[in-house]
Amino acid sequence: MAQQFYSPLQLNSTLTVGVNDTGHDVKFFGDTSDKFMVWDASADVLKLTDNTPLYIGTGADLRIYHDGSNSYIDETGDGGLYIKSSAIRLQSEGGENMIYCVNDGAVNLYHNNVKKFETYAAGAGVTGNMYLT
């Protein structure tokens, strides 16, 4: 087999792969074995392999990745991580409520999908026992 030599390719305009409703998968390989990302045209999703992080920011301040067992969102820059929405609901994989926050409204904390703590304009309420030390 003849040896292949590759030189850099520079595009100065848009690169189109496929056409609407008949796109093609595009795979980008990294320098490390089994590290790549794929644009899956049939599912319309971008896929990254385990332990292949997505870095956002000039200094890679925000990192999102999956290690094969757990998923991570790491904010490593000087600032904080802000999540903005009119409502935020944190649920378990099975759909049970853990935290529910509403803009200009209550913040609710749950135990085993049962609301145990809720904030009100005038204060807070507890369902069940509260232990203070």
Side-chain angles (χ1 to χ4, degrees), residues 60-62 74-80:
D61 301 331
L62 178 63
D74 290 346
E75 162 49 50
T76 61
D78 293 332

PDB file of all heavy atoms in Angstrom, residues 60-62 74-80:
ATOM      1  N   ALA A  60     -10.822  27.354  28.665  1.00  0.00           N
ATOM      2  CA  ALA A  60     -11.517  26.083  28.943  1.00  0.00           C
ATOM      3  C   ALA A  60     -12.138  26.116  30.337  1.00  0.00           C
ATOM      4  O   ALA A  60     -12.058  25.155  31.090  1.00  0.00           O
ATOM      5  CB  ALA A  60     -10.574  24.902  28.764  1.00  0.00           C
ATOM      6  N   ASP A  61     -12.750  27.260  30.679  1.00  0.00           N
ATOM      7  CA  ASP A  61     -13.292  27.464  32.020  1.00  0.00           C
ATOM      8  C   ASP A  61     -14.498  26.579  32.339  1.00  0.00           C
ATOM      9  O   ASP A  61     -14.735  26.246  33.492  1.00  0.00           O
ATOM     10  CB  ASP A  61     -13.714  28.928  32.196  1.00  0.00           C
ATOM     11  CG  ASP A  61     -12.561  29.885  32.000  1.00  0.00           C
ATOM     12  OD1 ASP A  61     -11.414  29.482  32.264  1.00  0.00           O
ATOM     13  OD2 ASP A  61     -12.797  31.020  31.587  1.00  0.00           O
ATOM     14  N   LEU A  62     -15.260  26.222  31.324  1.00  0.00           N
ATOM     15  CA  LEU A  62     -16.431  25.356  31.530  1.00  0.00           C
ATOM     16  C   LEU A  62     -16.177  24.050  30.809  1.00  0.00           C
ATOM     17  O   LEU A  62     -15.834  24.032  29.624  1.00  0.00           O
ATOM     18  CB  LEU A  62     -17.702  26.013  30.991  1.00  0.00           C
ATOM     19  CG  LEU A  62     -18.977  25.184  31.120  1.00  0.00           C
ATOM     20  CD1 LEU A  62     -19.311  24.913  32.589  1.00  0.00           C
ATOM     21  CD2 LEU A  62     -20.142  25.893  30.439  1.00  0.00           C
ATOM     22  N   ASP A  74     -18.104  21.127  35.105  1.00  0.00           N
ATOM     23  CA  ASP A  74     -17.066  21.755  35.921  1.00  0.00           C
ATOM     24  C   ASP A  74     -16.872  23.202  35.500  1.00  0.00           C
ATOM     25  O   ASP A  74     -16.544  23.475  34.345  1.00  0.00           O
ATOM     26  CB  ASP A  74     -15.717  21.031  35.754  1.00  0.00           C
ATOM     27  CG  ASP A  74     -15.706  19.655  36.387  1.00  0.00           C
ATOM     28  OD1 ASP A  74     -16.609  19.351  37.177  1.00  0.00           O
ATOM     29  OD2 ASP A  74     -14.781  18.886  36.064  1.00  0.00           O
ATOM     30  N   GLU A  75     -17.047  24.125  36.427  1.00  0.00           N
ATOM     31  CA  GLU A  75     -16.727  25.543  36.221  1.00  0.00           C
ATOM     32  C   GLU A  75     -15.411  25.775  36.931  1.00  0.00           C
ATOM     33  O   GLU A  75     -15.332  25.719  38.151  1.00  0.00           O
ATOM     34  CB  GLU A  75     -17.838  26.421  36.786  1.00  0.00           C
ATOM     35  CG  GLU A  75     -17.485  27.866  37.042  1.00  0.00           C
ATOM     36  CD  GLU A  75     -16.797  28.582  35.896  1.00  0.00           C
ATOM     37  OE1 GLU A  75     -17.256  28.533  34.766  1.00  0.00           O
ATOM     38  OE2 GLU A  75     -15.756  29.209  36.169  1.00  0.00           O
ATOM     39  N   THR A  76     -14.339  26.005  36.165  1.00  0.00           N
ATOM     40  CA  THR A  76     -13.010  26.108  36.760  1.00  0.00           C
ATOM     41  C   THR A  76     -12.412  27.500  36.616  1.00  0.00           C
ATOM     42  O   THR A  76     -11.249  27.696  36.954  1.00  0.00           O
ATOM     43  CB  THR A  76     -12.054  25.089  36.103  1.00  0.00           C
ATOM     44  OG1 THR A  76     -11.958  25.380  34.709  1.00  0.00           O
ATOM     45  CG2 THR A  76     -12.545  23.667  36.295  1.00  0.00           C
ATOM     46  N   GLY A  77     -13.185  28.452  36.121  1.00  0.00           N
ATOM     47  CA  GLY A  77     -12.663  29.800  35.914  1.00  0.00           C
ATOM     48  C   GLY A  77     -12.773  30.650  37.162  1.00  0.00           C
ATOM     49  O   GLY A  77     -13.019  30.161  38.261  1.00  0.00           O
ATOM     50  N   ASP A  78     -12.588  31.949  36.999  1.00  0.00           N
ATOM     51  CA  ASP A  78     -12.633  32.883  38.122  1.00  0.00           C
ATOM     52  C   ASP A  78     -14.051  33.130  38.613  1.00  0.00           C
ATOM     53  O   ASP A  78     -14.259  33.462  39.767  1.00  0.00           O
ATOM     54  CB  ASP A  78     -12.002  34.229  37.713  1.00  0.00           C
ATOM     55  CG  ASP A  78     -10.507  34.092  37.447  1.00  0.00           C
ATOM     56  OD1 ASP A  78      -9.884  33.195  38.049  1.00  0.00           O
ATOM     57  OD2 ASP A  78      -9.988  34.868  36.649  1.00  0.00           O
ATOM     58  N   GLY A  79     -15.038  32.990  37.753  1.00  0.00           N
ATOM     59  CA  GLY A  79     -16.417  33.296  38.119  1.00  0.00           C
ATOM     60  C   GLY A  79     -17.160  32.077  38.617  1.00  0.00           C
ATOM     61  O   GLY A  79     -16.583  31.042  38.929  1.00  0.00           O
ATOM     62  N   GLY A  80     -18.484  32.198  38.674  1.00  0.00           N
ATOM     63  CA  GLY A  80     -19.337  31.112  39.127  1.00  0.00           C
ATOM     64  C   GLY A  80     -20.101  30.499  37.971  1.00  0.00           C
ATOM     65  O   GLY A  80     -19.964  30.904  36.820  1.00  0.00           O
TER      66      GLY A  80
END
